[in-house]
Amino acid sequence: MLVEASVQENIKLINIFGEIGLENHSEFSESMLRSIQGDESIILVNMENVTYMNSMSLGIIVKSYSEAKKQNKELALCSLQENIKKLFVITKLDRIIKIYQNREEAIEFLKIRM
Amino acid sequence: MTSKMNKNEKICLIQENRQLQQKLNKISSQNMDILSIANFLDKLLGTKDLEKITYMIIEHMNELFEGKAARFIRKEPKKDTYACYQMKNGNIKKTLLHRNHLGKDFFFMYCNRFYICNSNKDTSFIAIPIKYEGENIGLITIKEFNNEKLENKNTKLMEVYSLILGVVIKNCLLIGQRQIEKKIILEQNRKISEDLKYAKKTQEYLLPKGRHDFGKYNIYCNHIQIQCLGGDLYDVVKYNDNKIIFYIADISGHGISASLLTLFLKQSVIGISKSFNDDLISPSEILEKLYKRFNDFMVDTELYIGILIGVLDIKKDKVTIANGGHNVEPIHIKTNERQVISYNIEGLPINSWFKELKFTYQDKSIFLNKDDKLIFLTDGATEVMLNENEILGTQRIEKVFYQNMNLNCDKQFDEMMKYINSYSEEASIKDDIAFVCLNRIN
């Protein structure tokens, strides 16, 4: 698992790679909370390259979302694999955290909100 | 005149020669000392045992100054403890002292430089404090030493000794401290492992395997535990003669916190079910009350419960289900219609994420015909990795159930596990698997 942060058009882009499971749960939590820090008010988490995510990681995403909210920031997700998207739908989290089809669509929408 | 000059010159030359000889002797002696330090250091560096090193130091220092007695006090790896080595007539005796019992004899340990007292031969001593970056590591005292041995010594050498011995002993102390810490950690780990064994046994008691019979229905439960302490839980509670409450849950996380939450969940569901009036019990209301209870004490946002809870109405052959964020759909085997379907029931997990959020849980009714089965699983079964990018998924499991739809629940479980294990070479089961199967037998 790898978490990589960059800035694109004033949006903090967090790219996650690999599997998120029990073995890297703490690392993922720390990386996410560190990555949402910064001046950018919009954070986009690109999950295109996440092949597996356990239910525990859902809590970390929500924690990061809540942390971003506390800092008056907006956190959105994009490019979720079907099995991961299902996890957000079944838990109704897709109605709380904004999920975009892909990065391009996300950036287009989020730019307007800036 | 020339002869007289020559004589004077000769005298001068002799004197100069004598002085040079003396200087040479001193340099030679100092060189010997340096060689002696180098040899001594070589021996010290080849030894890692603190006890051996201490013996080597006290013997070497006593030999160096030809003392009648020597004493070396140094820190022990154990906090606030000192070891005192007394050397007399070639024998060394060791005693352990607490820091508070050091007394005035060890005053020189706190001095910054070495101290020589040679006014009286019987009471003469050399005190060399051993330090490491300002820390008082120890003190070497040589009593009734040979004063001649001191004459040609470069006093800077004493400081060199103090510095080198400080580094050597500090290294040994650090190694010793690590060993003590390692021992403590290993002991703690052993105790935790023992505790975990009991906790695991307790958790197994919470997850009884086997069949419960309720008239024309039976409910079969089984589980595979991958983690020492998992977060999967199921339970079957008889509400009254007509209604049975059952649920399957997955607590995010593993270990002690998740394990304790399983206890909370089990007790809460039993407690909440008692708060309803007779036949008016609904799973969605159980979840709402559970959500409230959870939020009364839980503040950690990473811990949450995904739970699928159902109430079986035996008379009406109806199962009412509500989902609190459980991520595997219930699977309905309609045996007589030769059909296997799954139900997408959505619902927020039992969590403490959004304090202000207003929401309700929804009930979903499913009617069961004779020989129908309703199966509930945890994601350990569906999230088996087939390869780097693909998980097993619910659909493949549904196919297994379809192929074995006439089998009883226990056999369905066995077939499912056989199927999952058939991928064992490439796949890996990452999580615990829990299985609850409700079967209408007539």
Side-chain angles (χ1 to χ4, degrees):
Chain A
M1 193 272 307
L2 178 74
V3 177
E4 198 183 73
S6 61
V7 179
Q8 191 180 334
E9 300 187 52
N10 287 328
I11 294 170
K12 174 69 92 54
L13 188 64
I14 301 172
N15 290 303
I16 308 170
F17 301 85
E19 292 178 20
I20 315 165
L22 187 64
E23 58 285 350
N24 50 30
H25 172 258
S26 305
E27 192 191 336
F28 178 57
S29 178
E30 280 168 24
S31 302
M32 279 300 288
L33 292 174
R34 202 173 42 242
S35 299
I36 62 168
Q37 303 303 322
D39 296 333
E40 297 76 19
S41 60
I42 291 177
I43 299 149
L44 178 63
V45 183
N46 181 9
M47 298 181 71
E48 189 183 350
N49 296 302
V50 177
T51 48
Y52 168 78
M53 191 179 104
N54 67 356
S55 53
M56 235 169 136
S57 315
L58 200 68
I60 296 170
I61 302 257
V62 176
K63 193 176 180 177
S64 308
Y65 171 82
S66 303
E67 198 54 45
K69 275 258 171 209
K70 271 187 212 165
Q71 297 175 25
N72 291 321
K73 294 176 180 179
E74 192 179 334
L75 185 143
L77 309 174
C78 74
S79 316
L80 272 65
Q81 307 259 354
E82 268 316 301
N83 59 317
I84 295 169
K85 195 173 178 185
K86 198 183 111 185
L87 193 62
F88 281 87
V89 172
I90 211 159
T91 54
K92 284 189 166 178
L93 279 170
D94 62 328
R95 295 173 205 186
I96 296 164
I97 304 174
K98 190 78 190 144
I99 298 172
Y100 294 95
Q101 277 299 111
N102 53 53
R103 198 175 67 171
E104 290 72 27
E105 184 198 277
I107 290 173
E108 198 176 311
F109 275 94
L110 291 170
K111 258 165 51 182
I112 304 165
R113 303 178 71 131
M114 273 166 43
Chain B
M1 182 75 181
T2 314
S3 147
K4 213 176 180 180
M5 285 281 287
N6 281 344
K7 199 178 176 184
N8 280 342
E9 271 180 4
K10 264 183 187 174
I11 290 166
C12 281
L13 268 174
I14 288 166
Q15 279 174 344
E16 269 178 28
N17 269 343
R18 271 186 195 150
Q19 281 170 356
L20 272 172
Q21 190 60 46
Q22 278 172 352
K23 274 186 186 172
L24 263 173
N25 286 344
K26 196 175 178 182
I27 288 168
S28 169
S29 167
Q30 285 173 355
N31 279 347
M32 290 299 287
D33 286 343
I34 289 168
L35 273 175
S36 164
I37 285 187
N39 285 334
F40 176 54
L41 261 182
D42 199 37
K43 278 185 197 169
L44 279 186
L45 292 173
T47 317
K48 282 176 185 163
D49 184 75
L50 182 59
E51 201 72 11
K52 275 185 191 170
I53 283 179
T54 310
Y55 274 67
M56 282 163 73
I57 291 171
I58 195 168
E59 279 166 356
H60 176 83
M61 297 305 278
N62 198 46
E63 201 181 300
L64 200 69
F65 297 104
E66 289 182 1
K68 279 196 179 168
R71 188 172 60 190
F72 182 16
I73 184 155
R74 60 151 178 82
K75 271 189 173 178
E76 277 279 274
K78 196 179 163 192
K79 202 184 168 196
D80 291 338
T81 311
Y82 286 79
C84 181
Y85 297 80
Q86 303 261 17
M87 186 181 184
K88 209 166 187 182
N89 304 323
N91 297 320
I92 299 174
K93 193 181 153 194
K94 179 189 175 184
T95 43
L96 285 176
L97 292 168
H98 189 268
R99 189 168 63 93
N100 295 342
H101 302 136
L102 287 180
K104 61 179 171 44
D105 285 355
F106 306 104
F107 160 77
F108 292 103
M109 184 156 67
Y110 304 103
C111 294
N112 285 328
R113 308 192 71 179
F114 65 92
Y115 188 86
I116 300 167
C117 172
N118 54 359
S119 50
N120 183 331
K121 200 194 165 208
D122 295 338
T123 55
S124 68
F125 68 89
I126 302 171
I128 309 164
I130 311 293
K131 292 186 182 291
Y132 177 77
E133 291 187 352
E135 183 187 347
N136 304 309
I137 303 266
L139 173 74
I140 300 169
T141 317
I142 314 292
K143 285 181 179 174
E144 294 176 56
F145 63 95
N146 182 352
N147 216 10
E148 285 172 24
K149 285 277 167 184
L150 199 65
E151 276 173 7
N152 285 334
K153 292 213 184 308
N154 184 343
T155 48
K156 280 194 177 167
L157 275 180
M158 313 283 272
E159 285 166 14
V160 171
Y161 267 113
S162 175
L163 277 172
I164 291 168
L165 297 184
V167 172
V168 171
I169 293 170
K170 182 69 186 178
N171 269 345
C172 285
L173 287 174
L174 286 174
I175 292 168
Q177 278 161 4
R178 292 296 160 271
Q179 279 166 349
I180 289 173
E181 282 164 12
K182 197 176 164 187
K183 210 174 155 187
I184 292 169
I185 291 167
L186 286 173
E187 180 59 18
Q188 288 294 332
N189 279 350
R190 193 191 60 76
K191 281 183 187 166
I192 290 169
S193 296
E194 285 293 312
D195 286 348
L196 286 176
K197 265 188 212 165
Y198 289 118
K200 191 178 177 183
K201 272 192 179 175
T202 311
Q203 203 174 39
E204 275 171 3
Y205 175 75
L206 292 178
L207 291 164
K209 294 176 183 179
R211 203 180 74 189
H212 308 259
D213 294 313
F214 303 100
K216 58 182 174 179
Y217 284 89
N218 66 51
I219 300 177
Y220 174 81
C221 304
N222 208 334
H223 72 101
I224 301 288
Q225 204 162 337
I226 301 296
Q227 306 293 333
C228 179
L229 284 178
D232 283 7
L233 182 71
Y234 51 70
D235 204 7
V236 178
V237 182
K238 188 177 175 184
Y239 178 67
N240 60 29
D241 286 342
N242 184 46
K243 285 191 174 170
I244 311 296
I245 302 167
F246 60 91
Y247 63 88
I248 192 162
D250 186 357
I251 286 149
S252 70
H254 292 87
I256 293 161
S257 54
S259 171
L260 288 173
L261 259 185
T262 58
L263 283 172
F264 158 82
L265 181 58
K266 192 178 173 85
Q267 287 308 312
S268 295
V269 173
I270 292 168
I272 290 167
S273 65
K274 283 178 184 164
S275 68
F276 286 88
N277 290 325
D278 270 348
D279 238 26
L280 299 168
I281 186 163
S282 81
S284 60
E285 281 181 68
I286 296 176
L287 289 186
E288 275 155 26
K289 288 184 178 187
L290 183 65
Y291 188 92
K292 198 172 173 304
R293 270 195 193 200
F294 184 83
N295 272 275
D296 282 344
F297 83 101
M298 183 52 70
V299 286
D300 188 340
T301 49
E302 278 183 34
L303 276 175
Y304 69 91
I305 302 169
I307 177 171
L308 200 58
I309 190 159
V311 175
L312 165 68
D313 187 321
I314 298 171
K315 277 183 200 161
K316 291 179 182 168
D317 294 314
K318 185 176 89 170
V319 176
T320 311
I321 296 171
N323 190 8
H326 187 71
N327 59 353
V328 186
E329 308 95 316
I331 299 167
H332 188 171
I333 304 174
K334 297 182 167 186
T335 310
N336 295 322
E337 293 168 47
R338 304 221 39 94
Q339 199 184 8
V340 173
I341 57 166
S342 58
Y343 299 100
N344 275 316
I345 309 167
E346 295 168 6
L348 205 65
I350 306 298
N351 68 81
S352 58
W353 298 335
F354 315 106
K355 299 284 180 198
E356 309 298 322
L357 195 71
K358 298 255 183 289
F359 69 96
T360 52
Y361 289 102
Q362 306 297 317
D363 284 327
K364 159 103 184 149
S365 295
I366 298 165
F367 289 90
L368 298 176
N369 293 318
K370 187 179 170 292
D371 298 326
D372 275 9
K373 294 180 192 79
L374 201 55
I375 295 175
F376 304 88
L377 293 166
T378 52
D379 58 11
T382 55
E383 290 184 356
V384 168
M385 295 298 286
L386 301 182
N387 54 51
E388 233 177 67
N389 299 311
E390 202 181 1
I391 58 165
L392 193 68
T394 316
Q395 284 184 343
R396 284 191 177 90
I397 303 266
E398 279 176 28
K399 273 184 191 166
V400 178
F401 292 148
Y402 180 84
Q403 283 159 7
N404 302 289
M405 64 166 60
N406 292 317
L407 296 180
N408 289 334
C409 289
D410 54 342
K411 300 288 177 211
Q412 287 276 13
F413 176 75
D414 292 344
E415 289 303 318
M416 180 189 79
M417 285 315 299
K418 256 191 231 171
Y419 180 73
I420 289 171
N421 288 327
S422 70
Y423 286 98
S424 60
E425 275 184 23
E426 302 132 276
S428 53
I429 303 172
K430 287 176 178 291
D431 206 351
D432 302 340
I433 297 173
F435 177 92
V436 174
C437 176
L438 195 150
N439 188 11
R440 181 180 162 189
I441 43 177
N442 59 49

